[in-house]
Amino acid sequence: MKRPILIHPDPRLKKTAPQLPDLSDDLRRLADDMLETMYAAPGIGLAAPQVGVDTRLIVLDCVKEEGAAPRPLAMFNPEVVAKSDERNIYDEGCLSIPDIYADVERPAEVTVRWIDRNGAEQQEDFDGLWATCVQHEIDHLNGILFIDYLTPLKRQLITRKMVKLKKDRAREKA
């Protein structure tokens, strides 16, 4: 089931999501819904707070090569356990901040630990777009948006655009 994606500014996007004590079928269904929502948007990552659920769950799939098999990942309680000193800059966007992109600098490589949908602990090294995406989504779980890495003036301009977008969308529905 596709879910509506919250648009910035929304106070729910700035909260730190609590740890999941354990997995349930409802949480697995949420992960499936989030993947469906992410693919439909279209996007490469989505965090539970972006669909209004206050929990530590992210989904991502950064396979972009034409004809390559998708690699959907659902990560419960993900955490970065190691990061490289080397840095990368990517032009990041966000489903909660539509049509806005900006260069964000992050560690080029990270090691992430999480619980998979079967309850097993996983750990993997990510680099390139995968590293950027997983860090971006984990930031969402901590109430951090990619625009928080920008100057206050740029952040303010983007926030104003999003307020206008939300008003325009509300008018269209009325």
Side-chain angles (χ1 to χ4, degrees):
M1 171 182 84
K2 269 181 39 184
R3 293 175 177 243
I5 297 171
L6 300 180
I7 302 297
H8 167 75
D10 186 302
R12 292 170 288 183
L13 293 171
K14 299 304 290 177
K15 288 177 62 179
T16 299
Q19 289 284 332
L20 287 165
D22 53 38
L23 288 183
S24 65
D25 287 342
D26 285 344
L27 286 169
R28 288 181 191 89
R29 268 191 298 282
L30 172 62
D32 293 339
D33 288 354
M34 287 172 56
L35 282 164
E36 181 181 340
T37 303
M38 177 193 80
Y39 286 129
I44 59 170
L46 189 65
Q50 291 180 271
V51 293
V53 180
D54 191 22
T55 197
R56 295 189 82 76
L57 166 61
I58 63 173
V59 297
L60 56 156
D61 184 350
C62 300
V63 173
K64 297 187 86 122
E65 298 78 34
E66 192 67 38
R71 185 179 177 228
L73 284 178
M75 298 180 171
F76 299 89
N77 290 337
E79 61 178 323
V80 174
V81 294
K83 51 188 162 191
S84 66
D85 291 333
E86 183 189 345
R87 314 278 291 174
N88 263 350
I89 295 176
Y90 268 96
D91 191 33
E92 291 189 29
C94 181
L95 296 176
S96 291
I97 308 173
D99 302 323
I100 302 290
Y101 299 89
D103 286 344
V104 176
E105 183 178 308
R106 298 181 184 273
E109 298 174 13
V110 290
T111 303
V112 178
R113 184 181 315 136
W114 73 95
I115 305 299
D116 69 16
R117 64 185 306 116
N118 299 317
E121 187 173 291
Q122 302 290 331
Q123 184 167 306
E124 187 173 333
D125 298 328
F126 295 96
D127 61 9
L129 181 59
W130 284 91
T132 296
C133 184
V134 76
Q135 291 174 83
H136 176 113
E137 299 310 329
I138 290 172
D139 272 355
H140 273 297
L141 302 181
N142 297 317
I144 299 166
L145 302 174
F146 85 93
I147 61 171
D148 293 332
Y149 293 95
L150 307 179
T151 64
L153 180 61
K154 282 184 183 171
R155 213 170 32 247
Q156 198 174 45
L157 289 170
I158 291 168
T159 298
R160 280 196 203 121
K161 281 184 183 175
M162 292 301 104
V163 168
K164 182 182 181 322
L165 174 72
K166 286 169 84 168
K167 284 180 183 171
D168 291 348
R169 285 184 177 180
R171 265 198 295 281
E172 288 170 9
K173 287 181 184 174

